[in-house]
Amino acid sequence: MGNLSEFCCRNPECSDYGKKGLDNLGCHGYSGKDKKYRMLRCKTCGKSFSERKGTPFFGLHMSEERVLGIWRHLAEGDGIRKTHRLTGTCLDTMCRLAKRAGQHAKAIHEELLRHVEAQEAQFDEMCNFVGKKG
């Protein structure tokens, strides 16, 4: 069945919401086109959710490999139109995937970088750029 300690309850009303490694989750089936994603149930609140919930892949109907390939192109600086030509993916889908990746990255950034106080800031590059412009 696999290790469930990396998952947490996704129900905001549950007392165990967001807490990993509590042994409060159990697998009770599979979802997805190929039935390869586990459905998890919280023993505390009784709510069920897919193991993909809370990830940028939740609700997508294309393979993870294809989505990751698209995101790799975008991360390398390839534009939406170039990535569309290389992957054969619809332009609207490309825009939705780019937006989804950005929103997920922002959420992770805000979660991991809370309560960070800068002790020092340097503007070296900015001064060089401004100085060369006159």
Side-chain angles (χ1 to χ4, degrees):
M1 181 169 74
N3 186 4
L4 297 178
S5 65
E6 64 190 61
F7 298 100
C8 59
C9 182
R10 304 298 304 166
N11 176 16
E13 298 171 3
C14 179
S15 61
D16 290 335
Y17 173 72
K19 300 175 184 173
K20 295 181 181 180
L22 297 180
D23 197 34
N24 64 323
L25 300 176
C27 179
H28 73 92
Y30 294 86
S31 67
K33 184 178 172 182
D34 301 327
K35 303 289 185 198
K36 63 181 181 179
Y37 305 111
R38 295 176 290 188
M39 288 299 294
L40 307 177
R41 178 176 286 133
C42 176
K43 297 172 187 172
T44 306
C45 67
K47 296 287 184 180
S48 295
F49 54 92
S50 167
E51 69 179 324
R52 290 179 112 189
K53 183 157 176 115
T55 73
F57 298 104
F58 182 68
L60 292 180
H61 297 289
M62 64 173 61
S63 70
E64 284 186 27
E65 295 79 25
R66 186 169 180 194
V67 173
L68 287 172
I70 291 166
W71 284 338
R72 279 189 200 102
H73 280 289
L74 296 173
E76 288 294 322
D78 293 344
I80 297 286
R81 291 187 188 281
K82 181 178 179 182
T83 304
H84 157 69
R85 286 191 306 273
L86 292 170
T87 64
T89 305
C90 172
L91 285 173
D92 290 340
T93 302
M94 302 289 300
C95 291
R96 280 195 303 274
L97 288 174
K99 184 176 180 180
R100 180 183 285 242
Q103 289 171 335
H104 193 73
K106 180 182 178 187
I108 288 174
H109 177 78
E110 289 173 353
E111 176 68 25
L112 295 177
L113 294 177
R114 288 186 284 171
H115 312 297
V116 175
E117 294 182 26
Q119 300 296 319
E120 179 179 324
Q122 296 182 4
F123 294 100
D124 297 356
E125 300 302 321
M126 188 174 183
C127 291
N128 287 337
F129 178 75
V130 172
K132 290 185 179 189
K133 293 291 181 183

